[in-house]
C-alpha cells in the first residue's frame, strides 16, 4: 500500500524552544547517536518545530 506524502509543513506547537530542544536531546540519547529512518523523520519534524518556537533575533544577517 502506497501513501502519499504532503509537501507542506505544518508546525503547530505550544511548546517553547527549550522544551523541543530537550525532546531532540532525548531522541539522540535513546538512539545511541545513530538515528534510524523513522527517528530521522522525527528529528526533522522536531528541528522545524524548534525553529518555529525559537525567538527570532532582531538583527537580520
Amino acid at each position: 500500500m502506497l501513501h502519499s506524502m504532503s509537501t507542506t509543513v505544518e508546525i503547530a506547537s505550544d511548546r517553547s524552544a527549550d522544551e523541543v530542544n530537550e525532546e531532540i536531546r532525548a531522541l539522540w540519547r535513546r538512539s545511541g547517536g545513530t538515528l534510524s529512518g523513522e527517528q530521522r523523520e522525527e528529528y526533522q519534524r522536531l528541528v522545524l518545530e524548534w525553529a518555529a518556537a525559537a525567538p527570532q533575533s532582531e538583527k537580520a544577517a
Side-chain angles (χ1 to χ4, degrees):
M1 177 179 205
L2 295 175
H3 297 280
S4 63
M5 290 181 60
S6 173
T7 57
T8 59
V9 176
E10 282 187 43
I11 301 172
S13 178
D14 294 328
R15 300 187 298 172
S16 71
D18 288 339
E19 290 172 310
V20 179
N21 189 41
E22 184 53 41
E23 188 171 340
I24 291 169
R25 290 174 184 265
L27 174 62
W28 278 106
R29 283 191 299 268
R30 286 192 311 270
S31 75
T34 304
L35 299 176
S36 69
E38 186 176 310
Q39 288 170 321
R40 260 185 258 120
E41 289 177 14
E42 181 181 0
Y43 174 74
Q44 290 172 344
R45 179 189 61 77
L46 288 168
V47 169
L48 290 173
E49 183 181 349
W50 173 85
Q56 299 299 311
S57 173
E58 292 185 52
K59 296 181 183 179

